[in-house]
Amino acid sequence: MRRGAKSALGVLLAAGATLGAAVPVAAAPALEWQPCPENAEVQCASVPVPLDWAQPDGEQIEVAVARRPAADPDQRIGTLVYMPGGPGGTGVDSLLSGTQFSPEVSSRFDVVSYDPRGFGRSNPLQCDTDLLTSTPDIVPGGPEGFEEIKRYNREVAADCRARTGPIIDHMDAVSVARDIDALRQALGEEQLSLYGISYGTLVGQMYAENFPERVRALVLDSVMDHSVNASDFYATEAETAEDSFAEFAKWCAEDAQCALHGEDVGAVFDELYKRAESGELHAPGDPSTPIGPVELSRTAMSHFYQPDWNHLGVQLKALRDGQAAPTALAVPEAVPYSVAAFCSDWNIDIDTAEEYAQVWQRQAEAAPHMRFSVGGGVAWGCVDWPSPVQNPQHVPQIRTEAPILVANALHDPATGYNWATTVDQQVEQATLLTYDGWGHGVYDRSECTTSAVDRYLVDGVVPPEGTHCAAVPPTDNPPIRPHVGWDG
């Protein structure tokens, strides 16, 4: 919401124009681009950065970067940085797997991305796999259960630190934003255009807050609200998870393709949840594999990202009837221990079993069917986490001269529309583009969403305030890019 600046909404920024004060580009070693071993069409390099940005002359680490050069060099505008989600999604893999943008954007920009510090090829955090897969029951279980969560989190942190060293203390979004500015200097660019998806939008906000004069354009697609406290985080995440479930149930009531068409979908899920709580729910056709309540909700939420309602209906019916489903019920693929990065950005100040139970109660009230959220599947890992919160929650102080485009689905299961409207109100330069559909990630949902983002990136034209793009039926949605983030 660009309060007091509505007259600038349609301003056309000259392609490649320098916005903000002219600040000399600091000297930095040039990048040594080489064809990537996995895909020679993509160039790979690395950028040396301080492990701790508070000690710039201290220990250095290498951040892996990749580039797809502009397809039309004569019409090149500049560099577009793709900020992956997660936390922990690898931008290098994203570029290796294909272009992230339309032909027009790909022809006009060098598209560059990176593996965030602590992940992928950038000094990855190493932790014991067996320990990470042996998680405690995170459903409130009184003082003993709460103490077990705290003990587990301390054990994981100690194990990761012993294997990888102090990187565990420096995986916050501000440090990643500073890494991006080191990349900018190494590229010799005065300004960057940036596109963040999911958790990458937090990095984008931190970049704009710390380097406002370096922002030519910034797209925040499926945006994180970094101003909420721990209790509100759980509640707002639960609200958006429940909204996605309600949309699924509505589709089942209206569309005969749903395997549960004609049934009370909420009642079916509630009965499955009770069976999961009592230990009586198992994988379809496999009584040796129990499914707990958290796994049930998490798996359902994984089907809301696309969304893939048809498959979810089939799976829930198979669970209810005790019959094998066409494919196994599975939780979404997880990035390497994303909790370490999340806990560097969020102060989850829950100190007692009573407070933890209250947070879960509030979450259950906000989501009477799902009872759980994507964020709830991560935040518990920060209870008594021993590393410092380097970038605690706050309202971003963004003072860019460039307008900022926020894009969000009305029914996003992970970064809810409730967060998008808050960020739109907080950031004076922001304009909110609403996709009136479902799923996580907006840019390539439809011609409307792609065109609106492209016009902003290429020409600097933001859509009129209040612009909505019509929903695309879920069966017509294109495949969503992997690792768009906020995986839980």
Side-chain angles (χ1 to χ4, degrees):
M1 178 182 296
R2 303 184 62 208
R3 296 179 297 277
K6 297 300 180 184
S7 62
L9 277 174
V11 171
L12 176 65
L13 304 178
T18 298
L19 305 179
V23 179
V25 178
L31 293 169
E32 297 182 2
W33 295 108
Q34 300 290 335
C36 299
E38 304 92 333
N39 184 346
E41 294 181 357
V42 183
Q43 301 169 345
C44 284
S46 62
V47 181
V49 297
L51 169 69
D52 180 357
W53 275 101
Q55 301 181 37
D57 297 327
E59 181 181 350
Q60 303 284 297
I61 60 173
E62 297 285 329
V63 171
V65 296
R67 176 173 69 178
R68 281 185 174 268
D72 187 351
D74 292 338
Q75 297 297 316
R76 178 185 179 275
I77 293 172
T79 294
L80 172 59
V81 177
Y82 172 77
M83 299 174 290
T90 157
V92 173
D93 281 352
S94 294
L95 262 63
L96 289 172
S97 65
T99 181
Q100 304 301 304
F101 299 98
S102 69
E104 180 183 13
V105 169
S106 299
S107 70
R108 304 295 300 277
F109 289 93
D110 292 343
V111 178
V112 174
S113 194
Y114 56 90
D115 286 356
R117 51 172 53 221
F119 296 101
R121 304 159 183 81
S122 299
N123 203 101
L125 186 70
Q126 303 291 329
C127 309
D128 181 75
T129 302
D130 291 337
L131 179 61
L132 296 186
T133 56
S134 302
T135 57
D137 186 355
I138 65 174
V139 176
E144 290 186 3
F146 186 68
E147 288 302 315
E148 174 59 18
I149 289 173
K150 293 166 61 178
R151 183 208 62 76
Y152 175 83
N153 290 340
R154 293 193 299 268
E155 182 181 359
V156 169
D159 176 79
C160 300
R161 184 183 301 278
R163 294 171 185 270
T164 327
I167 185 67
I168 194 173
D169 297 326
H170 305 286
M171 297 171 64
D172 58 284
V174 173
S175 293
V176 177
R178 294 189 180 280
D179 295 344
I180 291 175
D181 202 60
L183 170 61
R184 176 194 62 77
Q185 295 179 54
L187 290 168
E189 298 275 22
E190 288 213 8
Q191 290 190 315
L192 296 172
S193 298
L194 306 107
Y195 169 93
I197 176 74
S198 193
Y199 208 83
T201 66
L202 178 55
V203 176
Q205 292 174 70
M206 296 304 98
Y207 188 85
E209 183 175 54
N210 287 274
F211 305 100
E213 73 281 2
R214 300 302 186 185
V215 177
R216 175 191 171 270
L218 172 61
V219 179
L220 303 175
D221 185 343
S222 306
V223 68
M224 302 288 295
D225 176 7
H226 198 229
S227 68
V228 292
N229 61 30
S231 180
D232 288 344
F233 175 84
Y234 271 90
T236 53
E237 278 284 83
E239 288 171 4
T240 198
E242 186 71 11
D243 172 74
S244 287
F245 181 86
E247 290 296 304
F248 162 64
K250 179 181 177 182
W251 172 78
C252 275
E254 297 174 349
D255 197 321
Q257 293 184 73
C258 178
L260 296 174
H261 180 66
E263 301 191 49
D264 185 334
V265 175
V268 170
F269 192 85
D270 288 346
E271 180 60 30
L272 291 174
Y273 198 91
K274 290 179 182 178
R275 288 169 55 190
E277 286 183 310
S278 63
E280 299 174 358
L281 188 65
H282 302 84
D286 183 6
S288 66
T289 304
I291 296 175
V294 170
E295 182 182 1
L296 174 66
S297 291
R298 181 183 286 129
T299 302
M301 283 184 288
S302 74
H303 289 80
F304 298 150
Y305 272 59
Q306 174 62 22
D308 185 0
W309 290 340
N310 186 60
H311 186 231
L312 177 58
V314 170
Q315 293 291 347
L316 294 180
K317 185 177 187 299
L319 279 174
R320 193 268 312 276
D321 297 342
Q323 299 175 349
T327 56
L329 191 72
V331 297
E333 179 185 355
V335 296
Y337 207 54
S338 59
V339 171
F342 179 83
C343 296
S344 295
D345 290 316
W346 299 83
N347 183 15
I348 304 299
D349 50 348
I350 300 173
D351 299 322
T352 67
E354 290 77 14
E355 290 178 5
Y356 188 64
Q358 289 170 4
V359 166
W360 269 74
Q361 178 60 32
R362 188 178 175 197
Q363 181 177 238
E365 291 171 353
H369 295 298
M370 296 299 293
R371 302 171 177 83
F372 185 68
S373 68
V374 174
V378 176
W380 68 268
C382 303
V383 174
D384 212 28
W385 184 255
S387 293
V389 183
Q390 300 283 7
N391 177 39
Q393 299 100 305
H394 63 282
V395 176
Q397 302 301 306
I398 295 176
R399 297 292 181 265
T400 62
E401 289 192 18
I404 293 171
L405 181 59
V406 177
N408 222 90
L410 191 60
H411 303 292
D412 189 308
T415 55
Y417 195 68
N418 47 11
W419 283 1
T421 56
T422 298
V423 173
D424 179 47
Q425 292 169 357
Q426 291 171 344
V427 179
E428 182 177 351
Q429 300 87 336
T431 294
L432 176 60
L433 171 68
T434 301
Y435 168 63
D436 288 334
W438 312 269
H440 190 54
V442 163
Y443 172 64
D444 51 4
R445 288 285 171 181
S446 69
E447 181 180 355
C448 175
T449 57
T450 301
S451 176
V453 175
D454 284 0
R455 293 280 57 75
Y456 168 66
L457 287 174
V458 174
D459 300 326
V461 176
V462 293
E465 191 76 29
T467 295
H468 286 245
C469 287
V472 175
T475 53
D476 297 338
N477 272 322
I480 300 303
R481 297 181 297 275
H483 298 303
V484 295
W486 208 204
D487 298 308

